[in-house]
Every structure is written in structure tokens, then in C-alpha cells.
Amino acid sequence: MSELTTNPRSLVFGFIAGAIAVISFHQSMILILHLLKFLPNFPWSFRPVGPMGVPALINSMFWGGLWGVAFAALLAFIPGRTLWQRGLVFGFLGPVLTGNWLLVPLFKGGAYFGGFAAQRMLISVLIGCAFGFGLALFYKMLQKRV
């Protein structure tokens, strides 16, 4: 039977992989969408966000790290034959579906499921799946190094 991963090393690797995936894959997808004129904001922003004025990129890296911990803990339950497939599935089910489409509107207000606006939903899926793919890639690299 599958179990949650509680191995501290795996969870730390998940955090690190998630933070790095934000800098690389997540923000690169935002750059591509920005250059295609689908997003107004340039990636890798250091504008202050939240009540503490943390730079946006650092904030995203922190949340990406937490999603990475969830990925590492839930890996045995995520469908997919390969790790990169599981990363794509997790990127959609975790950050996109649960995070952007359900939790953010619940706590901050706004439309659930991106207001069912097809373009907004597609952008979220592209960014989330890019993050998930990068997360799986970096997680695998970290696991192999030690």
C-alpha cells in the first residue's frame, strides 16, 4: 500500500526543487506568455507583495517550495508512469486546480476556476504544468545526487 513520504531528506529536496522550478520553469513560461502578449507582467519581478512587502519572486519561490514538499510527500499517490508525468499531473492538480482555482479565490475573493474564462484557464494550466515538470526534473536530480 502507498504511504505518505515523511523522509526529511525527501521533503527538503522537494522544497528546494520547488523553489528552483519557480525560478526556471514557472518564470520562463511566464516570459513566453508575456512575449506572446498573453500576460502583461514581466517575470522575475521583485515588486513587493503581501503585507510584509516580500519581493514577488521570493514569495513565489517560497510557495513553490511548499508545493514541492507536498509533491515529495504525495508522490506515491500521484498518477503517472514516469516522474515527469507525475510532475505534470501534480502541477495541474496542486498549484492550478487546488491553489489558483479554489484556495486563492476562497481566501482573497474572486472567481473560482478562473471565472471559467478559457484563456485565463489555459494560461494557468501552462504555468502550473511547466512548474510541475520542472519540479519533477529537479527533484529527480537532487535524489540522484545523494
Side-chain angles (χ1 to χ4, degrees):
M1 179 174 221
S2 298
E3 294 183 15
L4 285 176
T5 299
T6 57
N7 177 344
R9 188 182 88 181
S10 294
L11 299 177
V12 168
F13 285 170
F15 187 89
I16 294 168
I20 296 171
V22 166
I23 294 172
S24 53
F25 285 81
H26 179 272
Q27 295 295 296
S28 293
M29 181 57 74
I30 290 174
L31 175 64
I32 291 167
L33 294 168
H34 172 75
L35 293 173
L36 293 173
K37 308 270 191 250
F38 287 108
L39 290 176
N41 298 329
F42 193 79
W44 300 291
S45 171
F46 279 88
R47 70 176 164 71
V49 296
M52 295 172 32
V54 175
L57 182 60
I58 304 302
N59 183 61
S60 294
M61 289 172 62
F62 172 75
W63 288 107
L66 292 183
W67 281 114
V69 171
F71 175 76
L74 299 170
L75 189 56
F77 300 100
I78 301 170
R81 296 185 131 225
T82 64
L83 195 60
W84 70 266
Q85 289 172 338
R86 290 177 176 194
L88 289 174
V89 169
F90 179 80
F92 174 72
L93 294 177
V96 175
L97 180 65
T98 307
N100 289 346
W101 292 352
L102 296 173
L103 294 178
V104 170
L106 178 67
F107 293 113
K108 290 188 174 182
Y112 290 96
F113 296 96
F116 293 100
Q119 182 173 322
R120 186 180 310 155
M121 293 178 81
L122 178 60
I123 288 169
S124 292
V125 169
L126 289 172
I127 294 170
C129 288
F131 166 75
F133 180 81
L135 169 62
L137 178 76
F138 291 119
Y139 184 75
K140 184 175 185 176
M141 288 170 59
L142 288 167
Q143 290 284 14
K144 283 185 173 183
R145 301 255 334 157
V146 178

